[in-house]
Amino acid sequence: GDVGAGEQVFSANCAACHAGGMNVIMPEKTLQKDALDQYLAGGRKEASVVMQVTNGKNAMPAFGGRLSDEDIANVASYVIDQADGDKW
Ligand code: HEM
C-alpha cells in the first residue's frame, strides 16, 4: 500500500482514538511495535491490520464497507511503517 495515502486515511478515520499511535480507549493496546507483537491478532504485519480494520474488535469499529479496500490497505501500510520504524 501507499504509506503517504495511508497517513491521510489515518488522520481522517483513526486519529480520534489513535493519535500519535496511542489508544485512548485501551491504553496498553497502542500501535507501537511491542504492542502489535503482543496484542494484534495474526502478529505485526499489514494483513493483520487489514483484518482488524475491516472487521473491528471489541470497542474498535469495523471499517469494511465504510473505507475502500485500497484505503484499508494503505492505512495498514502506514501503521506498519510507523511501528517498524519506531516512528511513534
Ligand atoms: C486496536 C488500528 C480506528 C479503537 C487497534 C489495533 C490496530 C488499530 C492496528 C491493534 C493495536 C494493539 O492490539 O496493540 C486502527 C486503524 C484505525 C482505527 C488503522 C482507522 C482505520 C479506531 C477508532 C477507534 C479505535 C476510530 C475508537 C472509536 C481501538 C480499540 C482497540 C484498537 C479500542 C483495542 C481493541 C481490542 O483489542 O480490544 N486499532 N484503529 N480504533 N483500536 Fe483501532
Side-chain angles (χ1 to χ4, degrees), residues 34-74:
D34 56 346
L36 297 185
D37 285 336
Q38 192 170 350
Y39 301 118
L40 181 61
R44 174 167 46 91
K45 59 181 191 286
E46 290 184 22
S48 308
V49 179
V50 167
M51 282 292 294
Q52 177 145 339
V53 169
T54 301
N55 300 319
K57 183 181 178 185
N58 300 317
M60 176 166 154
F63 288 86
R66 297 171 52 199
L67 290 177
S68 68
D69 290 350
E70 184 178 14
D71 281 349
I72 292 173
N74 290 342

Side-chain angles (χ1 to χ4, degrees), residues 1-7 9-10 14 18 20-21 30-53 71-88:
D2 180 326
V3 171
E7 183 172 12
V9 176
F10 189 90
C14 320
H18 293 297
T30 74
L31 306 186
Q32 292 173 317
K33 188 186 279 182
D34 56 346
L36 297 185
D37 285 336
Q38 192 170 350
Y39 301 118
L40 181 61
R44 174 167 46 91
K45 59 181 191 286
E46 290 184 22
S48 308
V49 179
V50 167
M51 282 292 294
Q52 177 145 339
V53 169
D71 281 349
I72 292 173
N74 290 342
V75 81
S77 294
Y78 172 69
V79 167
I80 293 298
D81 182 68
Q82 289 286 112
D84 284 356
D86 290 321
K87 298 179 185 177
W88 52 30

